[in-house]
Amino acid sequence: MHAVTGSEHLRIAVLASGEGSNLQAIVDAIARALQRANEAGIASAEFPLGIYAAGEATAAAREVRDRAMIDRLNDDRIDLVVLAGYMQILSTEFIQAFDGRIINVHPSLLPVFPGLRAIEQALESGATETGVTVHYVDEGVDTGPVIEQRTVPIAKGESLDELTARVHAVEHELLPAVIARIAAQRRTA
Ligand code: GRF
């Protein structure tokens, strides 16, 4: 996926392993611009862990798989790696290879409610608000420096489905907006 930034392109890799609704939000925001510039062409590749697992422990397979991803993203001269619902732990080697160039979207106001089931955690805690965080990725789980956060109030008696839908809608605005800003900053750098 290549975001047009004037005469320059920001070369973006999106890693996703869930429903892909955040990927769709990015595509919607960026692909129209690409189409307009007549430069559309979104490359994709799959790295299923199974093909790297023969005879190896899972952790070792993940290292090998992530090395293959590093090679591919370097071949594609990727500037920015976007984790869009990527529910897997990246190897240290991968994080170091793209240090400061990996961003993630998380459905809470980090550092509150990190990890899995963040929206459920917020609802069960009785909190009156939660939100969305886009942050740089470091070697911890949901711990890297925050780029931008948006608050989502929790209505009294709101169901998990309702809150999830509202949090996702905010994710789908915030993540493409942050990517666009990074692209713009790169253009003026
Ligand atoms: C999103 O809520 C994201 O913040 C979290 O996993 C979910 C993925 O959704 N990490 P999708 O695959 O983008 O639809």
Side-chain angles (χ1 to χ4, degrees):
M1 182 177 296
H2 302 165
V4 178
T5 60
S7 58
E8 293 289 315
H9 290 183
L10 181 74
R11 301 177 71 87
I12 301 171
V14 176
L15 307 191
S17 58
E19 292 296 312
S21 73
N22 278 288
L23 170 63
Q24 188 63 53
I26 297 166
V27 170
D28 290 347
I30 292 173
R32 282 194 295 267
L34 285 171
Q35 218 170 356
R36 250 181 238 130
N38 199 21
E39 289 178 8
I42 296 175
S44 71
E46 291 180 40
F47 299 86
L49 199 52
I51 68 167
Y52 303 100
E56 295 184 79
T58 304
R62 188 177 295 130
E63 300 269 316
V64 178
R65 188 265 309 278
D66 283 12
R67 206 163 294 138
M69 291 204 297
I70 293 170
D71 289 345
R72 170 61 192 261
L73 301 189
N74 279 335
D75 284 350
D76 285 354
R77 296 179 289 113
I78 288 300
D79 300 308
L80 182 70
V81 179
V82 179
L83 307 188
Y86 188 63
M87 307 301 283
Q88 313 215 14
I89 303 289
L90 289 164
S91 67
T92 298
E93 188 179 345
F94 187 99
I95 289 167
Q96 287 175 356
F98 295 97
D99 186 33
R101 295 185 295 147
I102 310 174
I103 65 172
N104 180 45
V105 62
H106 182 79
S108 79
L109 295 174
L110 290 173
V112 185
F113 309 130
L116 295 174
R117 300 172 47 254
I119 303 172
E120 253 169 291
Q121 289 184 56
L123 200 59
E124 284 165 9
S125 77
T128 55
E129 62 178 31
T130 184
V132 172
T133 302
V134 178
H135 65 97
Y136 288 108
V137 171
D138 64 12
E139 288 181 39
V141 175
D142 301 325
T143 53
V146 169
I147 302 171
E148 192 171 336
Q149 294 183 307
R150 295 243 173 109
T151 300
V152 177
I154 303 176
K156 246 194 161 153
E158 186 162 26
S159 72
L160 180 60
D161 283 354
E162 287 166 338
L163 182 59
T164 299
R166 291 196 305 113
V167 168
H168 281 171
V170 173
E171 290 189 329
H172 299 163
E173 279 178 27
L174 185 60
L175 184 57
V178 168
I179 294 169
R181 207 168 61 220
I182 291 172
Q185 281 162 358
R186 182 175 185 273
R187 190 171 66 232
T188 56

